[in-house]
Amino acid sequence: MAYLLMFVTLLHLITLAMLFIATMEKSWWVWDGMENSDLWYNCRFDNSTGTWLCASSKETEWLQAVQVLMVLSVVFSSVSFLVFLGQLFTMSKGGLFYFTGLCQVFAGLTAFSAALIYTLHNKDILPDSKDLTSGHFGYCFILAWVCVPLLLCSGIIYVHLRKKE
């Protein structure tokens, strides 16, 4: 039982870190490694100064939906972890972690919705001046998709996990 508890806690922390990186880092769409776009900025690498020059992304309804859903996913997963820690020390023997699991499942569903919207509407989200055929999805986008099954599985594990003493 102790190993399962450590595994679930570690899985939760890993998915929370991956969600945070996917939400905040700047690589949802990449063009030739010298220009990329994320949920917040469009950035271009300037060879003469050796720095990234970033401008705010064009605000579209689809981009705002992805932003909100990814932030909600991080919030649900954070609340889930805090509730789990609270339940771990206050819940009676034999209790189930229903609320923790429900929050994790909601985090997985919001991350799924955000990644799906970005997949289907990237032409509307990305800058109009760029040719999308010369670019590809970045590692943050892939991290968001990887988080979805991990969050859903950990939510299901939490629902079935019983507190034993």
Side-chain angles (χ1 to χ4, degrees), residues 31-53:
W31 292 275
D32 304 327
M34 300 301 279
E35 193 168 348
N36 58 33
S37 182
D38 68 355
L39 300 180
W40 315 101
Y41 297 104
N42 295 318
C43 298
R44 179 178 54 85
F45 187 75
D46 186 10
N47 284 329
S48 61
T49 61
T51 60
W52 285 95
L53 304 173

Side-chain angles (χ1 to χ4, degrees), residues 121-164:
H121 296 284
N122 61 359
K123 292 181 180 95
D124 301 326
I125 293 172
L126 295 169
D128 296 332
S129 61
K130 296 301 291 181
D131 181 24
L132 295 182
T133 59
S134 65
H136 57 87
F137 291 108
Y139 75 92
C140 290
F141 173 79
I142 296 167
L143 270 181
W145 274 113
V146 168
C147 284
V148 171
L150 294 177
L151 288 165
L152 294 175
C153 287
S154 68
I156 292 168
I157 290 171
Y158 275 126
V159 168
H160 292 292
L161 189 65
R162 283 191 185 273
K163 181 176 180 185
K164 296 186 181 194

Side-chain angles (χ1 to χ4, degrees), residues 102-124:
L102 189 64
C103 284
Q104 275 296 87
V105 169
F106 281 154
L109 292 175
T110 55
F112 172 75
S113 300
L116 187 64
I117 289 171
Y118 196 87
T119 303
L120 298 175
H121 296 284
N122 61 359
K123 292 181 180 95
D124 301 326

Side-chain angles (χ1 to χ4, degrees), residues 5 8 29 48 51 72 77 96 125:
L5 187 62
V8 169
W29 189 268
S48 61
T51 60
L72 268 175
S77 188
L96 295 169
I125 293 172

